[in-house]
Amino acid sequence: MYDLTVRRRALAMLASGLSVSEVSRRTGANRSTIRAWRDRPAAGLSTTGTCPRCAETPHSPSPAGSYAYLLGLYLGDGCISPAGDPAKAVWSMRIFCADAWPGLRRECVAALRAVRPTNKVRIVPKQGCAEVNSYSKHWPHLFPQHGPGLKHQRPITLEGWQQEIVDAHPGLFVRGLMHSDGYRGVNRVRHGERCYAYPRYLFRNESRDILALCGRALDVLGVAWRHNKRNELSVARREAVALLDLHVGPKH
């Protein structure tokens, strides 16, 4: 399956006088497909199943809440990598979910299916975890933070349309971040003979940019936080933890 932008590009080349073989060479689409586009240029031009960012008038993916959650998962512990023949430009969105939290895995699968309903979601068992993946030509369009190398070794900034989604759904975005690289547990502190225990959230990431995105979303939620380490932020005040519990809570 080729996306709508490839088809439109091929039709424009044919209209300019290029041969089917030359258009095939330039676009990577096979000749039989290009001939079918040439003979029926208006057939199948519905945007169903195509990428909202590749549409003639680009728009934000939906449902926005599912996208915000998936964005958090991806930035925290996900990756986009080539799948199969590079000439076909198919990409795999891969997110690893520990076996200890089956509920988190179900949420990950549901978010992938919601954002790309026309693509299959696979669960590949690994030692102690499972790789949840989905193939699509459009993952780099939907997650433009994709690039060579590790995330903390390159700038990570949100596009304007992504920031609008995050600002509208900060709780789901933080939920995705916490479900990937976050932790809710009990901190124990001893003062003399007394031992105090209280719940807190930690989010650890080597990317300063991703830490800043988490902090901004927490600010929108009104959740107090602080940097407790160079690569980690903490939510520990009682009222802040209670507020974040409404959006995240313990992994399950």
Side-chain angles (χ1 to χ4, degrees):
M1 180 181 292
Y2 300 95
D3 65 50
L4 202 56
T5 55
V6 173
R7 179 171 181 164
R8 286 175 175 151
R9 183 175 168 224
L11 289 173
M13 290 180 181
L14 290 171
S16 72
L18 293 179
S19 68
V20 168
S21 294
E22 180 61 18
V23 173
S24 174
R25 186 186 70 79
R26 295 192 184 190
T27 63
N30 62 59
R31 285 178 291 179
S32 62
T33 298
I34 292 172
R35 281 193 290 269
W37 291 343
R38 178 196 62 192
D39 298 338
R40 296 186 301 160
L45 283 177
S46 166
T47 58
T48 301
T50 62
C51 171
R53 302 306 305 163
C54 299
E56 190 168 353
T57 302
H59 55 279
S60 297
S62 62
S66 296
Y67 179 85
Y69 177 71
L70 188 57
L71 177 61
L73 287 178
Y74 164 69
L75 291 178
D77 201 25
C79 68
I80 296 172
S81 54
D85 184 357
K88 294 183 178 179
V90 176
W91 300 85
S92 174
M93 166 70 85
R94 304 164 64 210
I95 297 171
F96 292 87
C97 301
D99 291 340
W101 302 304
L104 189 159
R105 185 185 304 172
R106 287 192 294 270
E107 284 193 59
C108 175
V109 169
L112 284 165
R113 286 176 174 163
V115 173
R116 294 296 300 161
T118 59
N119 298 108
K120 292 182 179 179
V121 177
R122 302 164 186 81
I123 300 176
V124 183
K126 304 285 184 180
Q127 175 127 20
C129 68
E131 175 189 320
V132 182
N133 70 45
S134 179
Y135 294 171
S136 174
K137 293 188 173 187
H138 301 288
W139 289 125
H141 310 157
L142 293 166
F143 296 89
Q145 290 69 38
H146 165 70
L150 301 174
K151 294 190 191 84
H152 70 275
Q153 295 176 342
R154 63 180 191 270
I156 299 293
T157 58
L158 299 185
E159 299 287 333
W161 58 270
Q162 290 180 299
Q163 192 63 64
E164 289 179 5
I165 290 176
V166 169
D167 288 344
H169 301 276
L172 286 168
F173 177 64
V174 171
R175 184 178 181 85
L177 291 173
M178 290 292 178
H179 276 186
S180 54
D181 273 354
Y183 163 80
R184 185 195 187 278
V186 176
N187 190 43
R188 290 179 171 83
V189 180
R190 179 175 293 276
H191 286 290
E193 297 298 318
R194 293 188 177 184
C195 184
Y196 300 91
Y198 60 91
R200 69 172 175 177
Y201 285 90
L202 299 174
F203 176 69
R204 177 176 295 181
N205 198 286
E206 294 299 323
S207 168
R208 288 181 174 271
D209 291 340
I210 294 175
L211 286 173
L213 290 172
C214 183
R216 170 171 172 165
L218 290 172
D219 289 340
V220 174
L221 289 171
V223 173
W225 62 276
R226 68 180 182 87
H227 281 288
N228 61 318
K229 293 181 181 179
R230 172 193 59 81
N231 61 347
E232 188 174 78
L233 60 79
S234 166
V235 174
R237 293 183 183 177
R238 181 182 301 175
E239 65 278 7
V241 171
L243 180 54
L244 195 52
D245 278 344
L246 299 177
H247 302 280
V248 182
K251 294 180 183 180
H252 60 288

